[in-house]
Every structure is written in structure tokens, then in C-alpha cells.
Amino acid sequence: MDDKNYNNPNDKVLGICSGGLDSTVMLYFLASSGKLAGGLSFNYGQRHLKEIDFARKACGKLGVPFDVADISNLARLFGKNALTDKKVDVPKSDYDFSNMSVTVVPNRNMIFASIAAARAIALNCRGVAYAAHGGDHSIYPDCRPRFAGALAEALSLCHYYPVALERPFIGMSKADIVRLGADLGVDFSETWSCYEGGEIHCGQCGTCRERREAFKLAGVPDPTKYSRTF
Amino acid sequence: MDDKNYNNPNDKVLGICSGGLDSTVMLYFLASSGKLAGGLSFNYGQRHLKEIDFARKACGKLGVPFDVADISNLARLFGKNALTDKKVDVPKSDYDFSNMSVTVVPNRNMIFASIAAARAIALNCRGVAYAAHGGDHSIYPDCRPRFAGALAEALSLCHYYPVALERPFIGMSKADIVRLGADLGVDFSETWSCYEGGEIHCGQCGTCRERREAFKLAGVPDPTKYSRTF
């Protein structure tokens, strides 16, 4: 490789964002130190695109570019799962292996990271960031720390400069993220967690339950309207 | 992770194929030992789709399923390069850094591998294979051995079973691949190498030059029609 063709990246990262609570707080967190290049959401044929509108809105508020990577054409290749196949029901209970493995989109995080890295390279950013946190579920193989480490290593070698894979919330719980978001002035009512795409959060699916619990643990008022609570 | 939910994969691999010479020979090679689950091509907004028709035809001859992963919606995110941006000219000369870096689609191999792995998982295959060979150009960062090793490590951790990343031709030259293809009865006239999508191979771009040279070195008759040779 010729040194004079080595591109020095800028000091910003591209934030992978879903419009959910965690990634929205991450956008605010990165923007607060001037390190946010923009946001990138994925349309992978998920059941609803409601969350993407929230991600777009957050980037608009923060004054950074927002893009959607549309890989919805691939959904038919990914096999049966509740997130991309409308014929499979979303489990209505807490997370555990037997009921949540149906929500696995195979290798989703690597697909997202590899495309986000390509976009980051096109923008000459030094890396990408995603909002994995300490409470993420090891039921998803691609949420495990060893996988994240290997993925980071691969990204560091994929281009002429090392592309960073940042997980700023990896040492935090979801309650910690809620607290940080409150400090940063995030309007949580403009984030979406529910697997269903109803008018308001269902209150019953695994992500709704975790969301409610995180606000409770954080001692932060939860502005979310749930259609049903327990 | 619960052991009873560990899926044992079958012993086949999904072949990433472009309709080019190398990957077509690879499909034949894998099929010859009964290890080919099917072929997967990518539509990433390349200048022409002619090569995908050749890949489809090869899978048809081999009697295995063929799919196209359509990520052409992403082309606009990848920035300027000669493979996806029709406004950028394909360099008309041998490979070297200054004229070929314009053909870099950022992080292309990781994007391909991660999507192919997802498809392989959906098919319960033990892995994916691609036709990287010893002559691949280190100008492409994602053709370098260290990157390939890191990518293989990440794929081995991305799912409940380790997904293999196989490069059966990595110790071979393109001439070796031509020789192997001849032994396996590959009809080379039904493979496509040229970056341009003309009626016949242009004979001038880097891949055309390499193709002609490989036949010459292999001592195998080249059935390719070139519009111009030197």
C-alpha cells in the first residue's frame, strides 16, 4: 500500500440508530462532544418502519445528516423470524431463549456494521458506533462480547485506515442509559422500543417490558404511553 | 446458550459467485465433492448485471439453487467509485494503486460475507465460500490475508454454530484456477470477467488482461472473444 494514498479520517463516527431508546441516547451522547458525523438506520424488512421516523427526527434535532440503508430486498433470504416475517408472531413475554430465538435475524449486527463501515469510509469518518449495552441478551449470538471483539478486529483491517467500532454504552445498563439520556435532555417520548408498530407501545413485548423497567430503575419519569401494563 | 437449541449445520457451503471465471470454477469445484449448497450473487449497483446471468446459468447446470442478494439500494451510500458510479470511468490499463483505487467499493467483501453468512444460516449450511486466490490485489484492503483471517474469526462467532469462511483457491494462482476449471469441464465462454458490460469482453481493462494472461500461463485455450487485444 502506498503511504501517500492513505487517507487520514476525520475524528467523527457514524451512529447506527434505530429510533429506539438506547441508540437515540447514543446519538445525543456523541453529538454532545461534537463527534457525531450522522445517523444511519436500516430498513431490513422489519414489521414496521415507525422507529426509523424517530431516528430521522433525532438526527434532525441534532443537526446531523441521516440516511436509511435499505436492505429490505434481503428479508426473503433470511428465513423465518418474527422481526422480518409478518407471518411469525412476536412473543408476548419476557426474554428467554425458547421464545426469543424466533426474533433472531441471522448475523444482523455484522451486516449492519459492515454496511455502516462502508458508509463511514465514504464519509471519511474514523469509525462507527452502536448502542450495545451491558444488558444485551446473549441469546443473540451477535451480541456476545467475543463476537463484538472479532468484528472490531475485522473492521480495523477492512480499509486503508483502521475503521473503529465503538460501543460507548457497553459498560452501562439500560437504566444507566435512561439516566444519561435524561441528563442530555433526550425527549424519550420520541423514541420507539416496541416490536409492534401500533399507535402506542404495546407494553407487553420483551422490549416494552425492559423499557418500562429501565425507567423505573433509573428513577426517571417514563413519558411512554403503553396500551397495556402489568 | 442452551445446548438443546444448538443447531448442527449440514456439511454444505454457500458459494459467493459473480459469474466470473474464479467463482464459477469454485462452484464446479465445490459441487464435484457434493459440498455446494447453492450460489449467491450480489447486485450492488455494479455497472452491468451481465455477470449475474452467467452465475445463474452455472448454478442451473450444477442443479443447485441460486439467489441474488439485491443491495443496489445501497450504491448511493458508497461514494464515488468506478464499479457503482457510472460517472466514473473504468481505468483502461494494468492494475496498480493510482488507477485502481477508484474501483474500491468500501468494505465490499465484509458486506458480501456477512449477508452470505446470514443466508447460509437460514439454509443451515456450515459456511460460505468465496474465490479469493493468491493473485488477488492487496490494493483492495479487504483482499489482504489479515483481514480475511479476522473476518473468518468474526463469522465463527456470529451464530450458535461456527459459520465457516472458506477460500478454497487461496493457495492458487489464476492460471491454476483455469487449469482446474478445464479439468472440471467448465465452459469458460459462459463466465464473465470484464468490468464493462459490452457484448464481448473489452480486452483492455485490468480483469480482461488478467484473464487472457491466466489462460496463456495455464496453457489452456481461451474461448473468450475480446473486442481488442494487444
Side-chain angles (χ1 to χ4, degrees):
Chain A
M1 185 172 40
D2 192 330
D3 269 353
K4 66 181 183 297
N5 288 288
Y6 188 103
N7 293 313
N8 285 310
N10 62 45
D11 70 342
K12 298 191 174 185
V13 293
L14 181 67
I16 298 177
C17 55
S18 65
L21 193 156
D22 307 332
S23 63
T24 302
V25 174
M26 184 188 74
L27 293 178
Y28 274 73
F29 173 71
L30 294 169
S32 70
S33 57
K35 295 289 167 62
L36 181 64
L40 184 68
S41 284
F42 287 85
N43 174 357
Y44 56 99
Q46 55 269 61
R47 295 164 80 97
H48 61 89
L49 297 176
K50 188 165 184 143
E51 53 189 13
I52 289 181
D53 293 330
F54 283 109
R56 181 179 288 110
K57 206 180 274 187
C59 288
K61 277 194 177 179
L62 295 168
V64 296
F66 172 76
D67 266 303
V68 178
D70 183 354
I71 53 169
S72 57
N73 288 329
L74 302 183
R76 66 177 182 83
L77 300 176
F78 291 159
K80 272 210 168 342
N81 67 75
L83 297 196
T84 62
D85 187 336
K86 292 188 177 62
K87 292 191 287 288
V88 178
D89 284 339
V90 173
K92 290 272 182 286
S93 58
D94 287 326
Y95 278 99
D96 74 44
F97 192 100
S98 57
N99 62 35
M100 292 309 287
S101 59
V102 78
T103 67
V104 175
V105 177
N107 206 23
R108 186 176 73 170
N109 284 352
M110 190 190 237
I111 294 172
F112 286 7
S114 61
I115 293 169
R119 179 62 178 157
I121 290 166
L123 297 170
N124 203 39
C125 294
R126 69 178 182 79
V128 302
Y130 70 105
H133 62 80
D136 275 341
H137 302 280
S138 64
I139 180 188
Y140 297 110
D142 56 354
C143 289
R144 291 179 294 195
R146 277 187 66 205
F147 171 74
L151 182 59
E153 173 73 9
L155 285 172
S156 76
L157 296 166
C158 78
H159 191 58
Y160 300 110
Y161 61 79
V163 176
L165 180 68
E166 303 205 336
R167 303 184 296 156
F169 295 169
I170 198 62
M172 293 164 64
S173 68
K174 201 175 179 86
D176 294 333
I177 295 171
V178 168
R179 256 181 242 113
L180 175 62
D183 288 347
L184 292 167
V186 174
D187 180 353
F188 292 111
S189 72
E190 296 198 329
T191 65
W192 188 264
S193 298
C194 183
Y195 272 145
E196 304 278 1
E199 271 301 299
I200 58 174
H201 282 69
C202 80
Q204 300 172 74
C205 69
T207 48
C208 275
R209 285 161 188 248
E210 289 197 322
R211 180 183 174 102
R212 289 173 46 221
E213 185 70 12
F215 277 102
K216 209 175 294 174
L217 288 169
V220 169
D222 183 355
T224 316
K225 287 180 189 138
Y226 299 101
S227 73
R228 189 171 161 193
T229 55
F230 296 94
Chain B
M1 184 174 39
D2 192 329
D3 269 352
K4 66 180 182 299
N5 289 287
Y6 188 103
N7 293 314
N8 284 311
N10 61 45
D11 70 344
K12 298 190 174 185
V13 293
L14 181 67
I16 298 177
C17 55
S18 66
L21 193 156
D22 307 333
S23 63
T24 303
V25 174
M26 185 189 73
L27 294 178
Y28 275 73
F29 172 72
L30 294 169
S32 70
S33 57
K35 295 290 167 60
L36 181 64
L40 184 69
S41 283
F42 287 85
N43 174 357
Y44 56 99
Q46 57 268 60
R47 295 163 79 99
H48 61 88
L49 297 176
K50 189 165 182 142
E51 53 189 12
I52 289 182
D53 293 330
F54 283 109
R56 180 180 289 111
K57 206 181 273 189
C59 288
K61 277 194 177 179
L62 295 168
V64 296
F66 172 76
D67 266 303
V68 177
D70 183 355
I71 53 170
S72 56
N73 288 328
L74 303 182
R76 66 177 184 83
L77 300 176
F78 292 158
K80 269 206 171 346
N81 68 74
L83 298 195
T84 62
D85 188 334
K86 292 188 179 61
K87 291 192 287 289
V88 179
D89 284 337
V90 173
K92 290 272 181 285
S93 59
D94 286 326
Y95 277 100
D96 74 44
F97 192 98
S98 57
N99 62 35
M100 293 308 288
S101 59
V102 78
T103 66
V104 174
V105 177
N107 206 22
R108 186 177 73 170
N109 284 351
M110 190 190 243
I111 294 172
F112 286 6
S114 61
I115 293 170
R119 179 62 178 158
I121 290 166
L123 296 171
N124 204 39
C125 293
R126 69 178 182 80
V128 303
Y130 71 104
H133 62 80
D136 275 342
H137 301 279
S138 64
I139 179 189
Y140 298 110
D142 56 356
C143 289
R144 291 180 293 195
R146 276 187 66 204
F147 171 74
L151 183 58
E153 173 74 9
L155 285 173
S156 76
L157 296 167
C158 78
H159 191 58
Y160 299 111
Y161 61 79
V163 176
L165 180 69
E166 303 206 336
R167 303 184 297 156
F169 295 168
I170 198 62
M172 292 163 65
S173 69
K174 201 175 180 83
D176 295 332
I177 295 172
V178 168
R179 256 181 242 114
L180 175 63
D183 288 347
L184 293 168
V186 173
D187 180 354
F188 293 111
S189 73
E190 298 200 326
T191 65
W192 188 264
S193 298
C194 183
Y195 272 146
E196 305 278 0
E199 271 301 299
I200 59 174
H201 283 70
C202 80
Q204 302 172 73
C205 68
T207 50
C208 275
R209 286 160 188 250
E210 289 198 321
R211 179 182 175 102
R212 288 174 47 221
E213 185 69 12
F215 276 102
K216 209 176 295 176
L217 288 170
V220 169
D222 183 355
T224 316
K225 288 181 188 136
Y226 300 101
S227 74
R228 188 171 162 194
T229 55
F230 296 94

